[in-house]
Amino acid sequence: MSLEVIILAAGKGTRMRSDMPKVLHPLAGKPMLVHAVEQAQKLAPTHTHIIVGHGAEQVEAQVKPLGAECVPQKQQLGTGHAVAQAMPMVDNDATVLVLYGDVPLVPAELMQQLVDQTAQGGLAILTVTLDDATGYGRIVRNQKGDIETIVEHKDATEQQRQIKEINTGILAAKASLLNAWLPRIESNNAQGEIYLTDIVAMGVGDGVNISHLQPQFPQQTQGVNDRLQLAELERWYQLQQANQLLRDGVQLADPSRFDLRGELTTGKDIYIDINAIIEGQVHLEDGVHIGPNCYLKDAHIGAGTHVLANSVVDQARVAKQCNIGPFARLRPGTVLEDGAKVGNFVETKKTTLGKGSKANHFTYLGDTVVGEKVNIGAGTITCNYDGVNKFQTTIEDGAFIGSNSSIVAPVIIGAGATVGAGSTITKDVADNNLAIARGKQRNLTTWAKPVKR
Ligand code: UD1
Ligand code: CA
């Protein structure tokens, strides 16, 4: 028995007030729809059909690379109509899993359970019991407790509106049943829409046993209609991730002030202070400490390294026992070798800092290769850009760059060389030489201070 997934994603999402289709708004740094697609694909479906309408091209650009196929729904005539658009592409012997692109946190395991339940009768729905069920389709059961029908909020009687068990919209059904039911759905309801939910009453009429499941947490089936719901879901998801890291032995100062938008892998004895934002793929080796308010993106940080408060490490590779910050910014292409130090207000880009080298204060190093045990004085700038092209600076082992120097690339400063403070270096400096390139100091003995006239 094959599985096919249909994800509804044609709606506009008016309440988001956005030019971007709602399903592309990110949760934990990834479009909501991509969360749904990735979980669904863990079930290894033969096809994933995405029903697209508003912003179809934008949606397609996101999901095509994931191997999903887009099916246009020109007019959004209702959820039943949406599913019907994909059915001609679906194998009649398959089981169909229907998901919503704006319900991002359904775990794959729950999807699988729902699919497995179709073995019983052929239709399985995912329901959840909410304190406030306003706006949702209600699950109407008979005296015996069997599901009879789903009534949309707008069509429900006052009594039905008291029901707290709601339809999440997510369901699994045999394709053959959907093919029998979908053409029979009418739109004589409060919204004039073709309601997918009508198939439940049809199933009951046909004597099909309707199974149901509930999620472990209501957030797992929570849909997003506005930015408040998105923010609430984001906080819940972040807390789940943070709690999991704590359980896995990563010390977070405060799980409610931690954001992971990607994947974090760690060694042991990791400490992460408050307000860390971690994006992409980040690996922290044993004993790494991350100070408060740090941003780490696609970074590998070696054992025992400390990243102090308010630092940015973006697409950088940091070896062991390094010190970064406070207020440091490592930009893409930065490599710090063992024991290197980058202090406050230091920016590096496409730069390697060799073993034990230091740039401790107010410095820009771009397109620079710094050897071992080099000291870069405060205020040093590598002038790597002439407005058109970028050029390379090389500073060899043991060199000492005096404070406030401008090093105009391309240039090589030899091993053990010294650059006098305040120099503007435009020519190579040989090993062990002293380069001074600044105005000579003159002290005028005859000078008299001006007096007030
Ligand atoms: C739907 C369910 C309701 C359930 C609720 C859960 C129906 C009739 N009602 O209501 O029982 O409690 O979801 O959130 O199914 N979409 C399309 N094409 C369409 C219509 C919708 O792709 O023609 C997509 C939307 O983009 C959205 C999803 O389907 O992602 C749900 O549509 P929406 O209009 O939000 O349904 P609700 O009225 O919320
Ligand atoms: Ca909705």
Side-chain angles (χ1 to χ4, degrees), residues 167-189:
N167 171 37
T168 65
I170 289 153
L171 58 82
K174 290 191 172 141
S176 54
L177 292 175
L178 288 175
N179 282 324
W181 293 331
L182 290 172
R184 285 165 51 197
I185 303 177
E186 290 169 9
S187 56
N188 50 356
N189 52 55

Side-chain angles (χ1 to χ4, degrees), residues 276-331:
I277 295 182
I278 296 180
E279 274 188 21
Q281 298 285 327
V282 171
H283 182 73
L284 308 179
E285 291 181 7
D286 293 353
V288 167
H289 279 220
I290 306 295
N293 310 317
C294 288
Y295 173 76
L296 312 178
K297 180 184 179 189
D298 295 320
H300 185 114
I301 299 185
T305 287
H306 286 208
V307 181
L308 305 179
N310 304 301
S311 294
V312 173
V313 180
D314 180 2
Q315 295 170 61
R317 242 196 117 75
V318 177
K320 55 182 196 280
Q321 306 295 343
C322 292
N323 242 57
I324 298 165
F327 298 98
R329 181 179 181 205
L330 308 192
R331 294 174 57 198

